[in-house]
Amino acid sequence: MSHIVTMIPGDGVGPEIIEVAKACIAETGVDVQWDVQPAGMSAQQSRGALLPRQVIDSIRENRVALKGPLETPIGSGYRSVNVQLRKDLNLYACVRPCRYYPGIQTRIADPEAIDLVIIRENMEDMYTGIEFMEECGAETPLIDFLKQQQQGADLECDTGFSIKPISRRGSERVARFAFEYARAYGRKRISAVDKANIMKYSDGVFMRAAEKISADYPDIEFEHKLVDNMCMQLVQKPEQYEVLVMPNLYGDILSDLCAGLIGGLGVAPGANMGDSYAVFEPVHGTAPKYAGADRANPTAILLSSVLMLHHINESAAAQRLEKAVAAVIKEGIHVTRDLKSPDAAGQPTGTQAMGGAVRDKIQSL
Ligand code: NAI
């Protein structure tokens, strides 16, 4: 069967890793026609927009996309193209499996016991872009309003604000997604993570929504954890967790923490899911210092491709690709610098050469 999939090469190391993914998927024998759609800085240059209409139209038509990372300037400049894409396509759940592949160097005593999945709410929270700049001008309407409404909110005019909206509907939706995911993948336990002791009116909504939805799934054990405690638990006993569901910001941060447990951002895959569309992409960003240098680890995009192949019902190809990636990592010869053990023989390989080793392995499996 032939599949048409939207491909967004992305910025920074994006085009290099996506080339590897494309070649490795072709090697599995699955017939994928790629509808290549630039977004981000490359689209700004070629089409005059960071997120051209054609990108959204293409994903709406094909329903599936494989995406490289997109740049978002820090502290100022345009708002995130990633956030806009998720919003336009209603991709409300971000799924980030965290699994260790033998051969990778980590600081964890028993990394093979780690097998958890983060489900991050993907559309609300601090990512809605409702922000107010600090401004000591003649009028400070928000500060005046808060002074009237909130006891003790005596804020200076040099204060900036980022608003954190969390809705019952959005929280119930992602919580239900997490429970359905747990059932579908035979997971027995869900931990809802938030900071509802302090943010009673935003994280409190999330916590109550998760508790409410848990009542519909008596076959799955449910627990609630505060995010600060969860950070410590994940570092000390990551093997105790199966599925973690949480608001957007905590999901963003804990995804990187979990990537750190299993060997770094170079090996952490992800998927943005909604009811109609799915966009698969690594957890990592554009890694600007490696852009064009053939240095980026292609594992994260390859494991994202594995998730994508399962999603389009090409599970045999997905398994072959995953086995090939795992075998190359285990051998530790044709791997990028971040995976190279100090005592392993030979020099680290580049992005494309590691992709070549995975292709060879697919053939020999
Ligand atoms: P980053 O993920 O690009 O890099 C963080 C660290 O991880 C760096 O040390 C980098 O060298 C390393 N790293 C990342 N990917 C790697 C790979 N494939 N192989 C080996 N090492 C890798 O995060 P950073 O520097 O915070 O962000 C850079 C840009 O990426 C920003 O503009 C940010 O907004 C964007 N970004 C985009 C994302 C997306 O499109 N989904 C996700 C995260 C960040």
Side-chain angles (χ1 to χ4, degrees):
M1 185 187 168
S2 175
H3 307 270
I4 306 177
V5 175
T6 303
M7 173 183 280
I8 302 172
D11 299 321
V13 298
E16 298 165 58
I17 55 168
I18 214 121
E19 263 319 299
V20 170
K22 193 173 153 188
C24 290
I25 291 170
E27 199 68 53
T28 66
V30 174
D31 181 6
V32 177
Q33 311 290 317
W34 298 103
D35 180 7
V36 180
Q37 295 290 341
M41 294 310 287
S42 57
Q44 179 71 52
Q45 281 146 20
S46 63
R47 289 182 171 170
L50 290 160
L51 187 59
R53 190 74 247 153
Q54 295 96 315
V55 179
I56 302 296
D57 290 347
S58 167
I59 300 173
R60 287 220 169 100
E61 187 160 335
N62 302 326
R63 307 179 90 80
V64 184
L66 183 65
K67 172 184 167 295
L70 298 172
E71 180 182 319
T72 303
I74 297 168
S76 61
Y78 59 83
R79 293 208 175 279
S80 168
V81 187
N82 291 310
V83 171
Q84 191 60 44
L85 184 77
R86 291 166 195 163
K87 192 172 162 200
D88 287 356
L89 296 167
N90 211 10
L91 302 169
Y92 61 84
C94 181
V95 180
R96 292 177 161 177
C98 173
R99 208 180 132 203
Y100 174 77
Y101 290 86
I104 299 176
Q105 306 295 303
T106 74
R107 292 170 172 269
I108 301 296
D110 184 15
E112 287 180 54
I114 301 175
D115 185 12
L116 62 87
V117 180
I118 288 185
I119 312 263
R120 164 186 174 190
E121 198 289 321
N122 221 14
M123 294 180 63
E124 301 194 323
D125 197 356
M126 310 293 277
Y127 293 72
T128 42
I130 309 170
E131 296 197 291
F132 299 87
M133 247 172 110
E134 90 282 11
E135 201 167 17
C136 290
E139 291 179 16
T140 51
L142 183 57
I143 287 176
D144 297 344
F145 170 79
L146 291 173
K147 202 170 191 170
Q148 283 164 19
Q149 297 293 317
Q150 298 272 331
Q151 278 183 1
D154 198 4
L155 299 162
E156 299 291 335
C157 66
D158 60 358
T159 308
F161 298 88
S162 301
I163 307 288
K164 178 184 167 97
I166 293 196
S167 72
R168 196 184 316 144
R169 179 176 163 273
S171 303
E172 287 184 4
R173 186 169 64 167
V174 76
R176 192 169 292 286
F177 181 99
F179 278 96
E180 289 294 325
Y181 180 97
R183 260 194 192 159
Y185 290 91
R187 305 284 188 148
K188 296 281 170 240
R189 185 157 165 238
I190 289 197
S191 313
V193 183
D194 54 56
K195 189 75 181 167
N197 56 333
I198 301 296
M199 282 156 279
K200 298 178 197 299
Y201 299 146
S202 49
D203 285 17
V205 168
F206 183 86
M207 184 194 84
R208 288 188 291 277
E211 266 171 12
K212 180 181 161 205
I213 297 299
S214 73
D216 294 343
Y217 298 85
D219 49 319
I220 295 168
E221 193 188 326
F222 174 75
E223 65 166 3
H224 172 255
K225 282 245 177 329
L226 294 174
V227 64
D228 39 356
N229 178 22
M230 186 48 110
C231 286
M232 188 204 65
Q233 298 284 341
L234 282 170
V235 171
Q236 292 202 322
K237 306 173 203 157
E239 69 285 351
Q240 290 191 354
Y241 298 95
E242 293 193 43
V243 177
L244 312 181
V245 61
M246 62 195 80
N248 209 338
L249 179 62
Y250 309 137
D252 194 356
I253 297 167
L254 265 56
S255 298
D256 277 32
L257 187 156
C258 287
L261 297 176
I262 54 161
L265 283 168
V267 299
N272 301 290
M273 312 286 295
D275 294 330
S276 308
Y277 314 110
V279 175
F280 297 84
E281 64 174 340
V283 173
H284 69 74
T286 58
K289 69 181 175 193
Y290 297 155
D294 196 37
R295 283 274 304 268
N297 184 347
T299 302
I301 191 93
L302 288 172
L303 295 176
S304 304
S305 306
V306 168
L307 299 177
M308 187 197 84
L309 288 169
H310 279 297
H311 181 77
I312 61 174
N313 294 319
E314 296 286 0
S315 290
Q319 282 163 11
R320 270 178 81 206
L321 178 54
E322 187 179 11
K323 269 191 189 158
V325 173
V328 169
I329 291 173
K330 195 168 188 181
E331 283 172 8
I333 301 164
H334 303 291
V335 292
T336 45
R337 192 175 297 264
D338 56 315
L339 295 183
K340 198 79 183 168
S341 150
D343 38 283
Q347 292 299 309
T349 38
T351 310
Q352 303 306 320
M354 184 168 173
V358 173
R359 287 207 314 274
D360 291 347
K361 207 48 99 181
I362 293 170
Q363 270 184 0
S364 67
L365 282 172

